[in-house]
Amino acid sequence: MIRFRPREPGACPAGEMQRILVTGAMGQIGSELVPALRERFGVDCVVASDLRIMPRARPSRGIYEHLDCTQAPQILELVRRYEVGTIYHLAALLSAVAEDKPHVAWSINMGGLYNVLEVARQYQAQVFFPSSIGAFGPTTPREHTPQVTIQRPTTMYGVTKVAGELLCDYYAGRFGVDARGLRLPGLISCVAPPGGGTTDYAVEIFHHALRYGRYTCFLAPDTRLDMMYMPDAIHAIIALMQADAARLHHRNAYNVSAMSITPTELAAEIARQVPGFAIDYQVDPVRQAIADSWPRAIDAAAAREDWGFAPKYDLAGMTQDMLAQLRARREAEKPG
Ligand code: AKB
């Protein structure tokens, strides 16, 4: 087996590059995290994996493996075969789907994480776990939500996220597993669709604006939630994983957010850049109830202080870049 050396000093905690495994690699975050990690550490150092079958026209070069995270032996096999030293565990169901299929959500979100942590314990691997603003609930302070506060979520997704944070803390404290996490807000991105979240409207709206000039939103106009543009999320994930462990006071998991916005505000910003764009509302009671149980604006001070979290994109900058990226993609997809 070839041993890889990191391109950058410090890329691998052992000083000798072990490969990186990304689960759920074809999802919304994985589709942008995998290329970013390959760019940084080298194409062959990153093993992308997913339950989904990779399309014949592969979006990128590099190792791809089929992986069902509920099957611990499959994770173990990949970690051994590729000498994995870091696992970015992204495979999970999002909030709306999890509410529809709570038993499946428990099995995938908790079972998958438990298996990943167990393998990480046995092979001393570092673990990234994406928690969420969904780890908070209706009794959490909704404005300037502190880093350490009440966490009594009322959704299965939230239950798995709080339990996941605690399980990661347990493995860190009890077994010394270097598990780290972020409480991610809604992520806005142009590469892969989110699929099944409460904040998905903030991605759909862009596609509909360019295609139809209008959008019917499933959340009420004044539903304020935290959001972040994907390039900032990717940067934050890698920055957290590279941070000096001694500085991490809240390793599982840090509040992060770049903007706190409503559908009305996002639509107004899009309308400034897509003349004639219009929004109307057909509220989905299930997703609205989930959104109403989440914070309106979380406080990311701990992430700024401990490891320098500093998102670049605000609402206007994100909207401008999203529209430019999506227009370029639409142009490239045109036949001839
Ligand atoms: C969802 O809406 O489920 C996710 C999240 C905020 O965790 N985007």
Side-chain angles (χ1 to χ4, degrees):
M1 170 68 74
I2 304 162
R3 284 200 166 267
F4 283 76
R5 299 213 155 264
R7 270 202 202 153
E8 291 180 3
C12 163
E16 187 179 46
M17 186 62 175
Q18 293 174 294
R19 285 192 181 87
I20 295 165
L21 172 65
V22 181
T23 73
M26 285 166 68
Q28 189 195 13
I29 302 177
S31 302
E32 298 192 43
L33 181 63
V34 168
L37 291 170
R38 286 184 170 154
E39 167 75 26
R40 195 161 183 146
F41 300 120
V43 171
D44 295 332
C45 286
V46 180
V47 180
S49 71
D50 203 293
L51 191 56
R52 285 168 271 195
I53 305 294
M54 172 66 85
R56 198 178 278 251
R58 297 173 64 124
S60 60
R61 289 187 308 124
I63 307 163
Y64 176 80
E65 293 284 350
H66 180 262
L67 174 65
D68 178 351
C69 290
T70 64
Q71 304 302 315
Q74 292 186 17
I75 306 172
L76 196 67
E77 204 275 317
L78 289 187
V79 166
R80 279 154 77 154
R81 175 145 52 100
Y82 289 109
E83 297 193 15
V84 168
T86 303
I87 306 173
Y88 289 82
H89 178 49
L90 307 178
L93 296 193
L94 292 183
S95 55
V97 185
E99 225 26 48
D100 194 37
K101 303 184 179 96
H103 304 95
V104 182
W106 179 263
S107 158
I108 294 179
N109 292 15
M110 285 318 297
L113 177 62
Y114 175 77
N115 290 339
V116 163
L117 287 168
E118 257 306 293
V119 173
R121 176 180 72 79
Q122 291 168 42
Y123 286 84
Q124 289 94 48
Q126 193 190 23
V127 174
F128 172 77
F129 166 67
S131 186
S132 160
I133 53 172
F136 298 116
T139 49
T140 303
R142 296 191 74 200
E143 308 285 347
H144 307 291
T145 306
Q147 173 64 39
V148 179
T149 185
I150 301 164
Q151 289 185 267
R152 305 288 293 176
T154 47
T155 62
M156 177 51 94
Y157 180 68
V159 169
T160 65
K161 290 301 178 187
V162 179
E165 291 183 12
L166 293 173
L167 196 61
C168 286
D169 269 347
Y170 179 78
Y171 269 75
R174 177 78 168 78
F175 302 119
V177 172
D178 186 4
R180 306 177 181 198
L182 298 178
R183 290 188 189 126
L184 293 167
L187 296 179
I188 300 171
S189 67
C190 60
V191 176
T198 303
T199 56
D200 291 12
Y201 90 84
V203 179
E204 284 176 9
I205 192 171
F206 283 96
H207 293 271
H208 286 233
L210 291 180
R211 185 162 299 180
Y212 312 115
R214 58 176 306 105
Y215 178 62
T216 301
C217 186
F218 57 77
L219 293 184
D222 57 350
T223 310
R224 183 171 296 285
L225 291 169
D226 283 293
M227 301 279 173
M228 185 154 64
Y229 194 31
M230 189 61 86
D232 279 331
I234 299 299
H235 192 268
I237 291 169
I238 297 176
L240 172 70
M241 294 299 275
Q242 301 266 286
D244 177 359
R247 297 191 55 188
L248 302 180
H249 299 102
H250 310 275
R251 49 175 52 244
N252 299 294
Y254 281 93
N255 285 2
V256 285
S257 172
M259 60 196 94
S260 159
I261 56 172
T262 65
T264 309
E265 290 165 358
L266 179 53
E269 190 55 47
I270 292 174
R272 261 191 279 281
Q273 302 184 37
V274 180
F277 172 70
I279 187 166
D280 62 4
Y281 297 88
Q282 209 172 309
V283 171
D284 167 11
V286 174
R287 284 182 284 192
Q288 187 64 48
I290 296 174
D292 290 342
S293 76
W294 288 355
R296 290 160 60 86
I298 59 174
D299 178 7
R304 286 195 296 273
E305 281 156 27
D306 286 7
W307 48 274
F309 171 63
K312 287 203 185 81
Y313 291 89
D314 60 8
L315 174 58
M318 175 277 293
T319 304
Q320 194 178 23
D321 199 67
M322 258 307 265
L323 291 170
Q325 299 287 341
L326 287 178
R327 283 185 174 123
R329 283 173 166 262
R330 284 164 67 84
E331 227 17 73
E333 278 162 16
K334 274 190 187 154

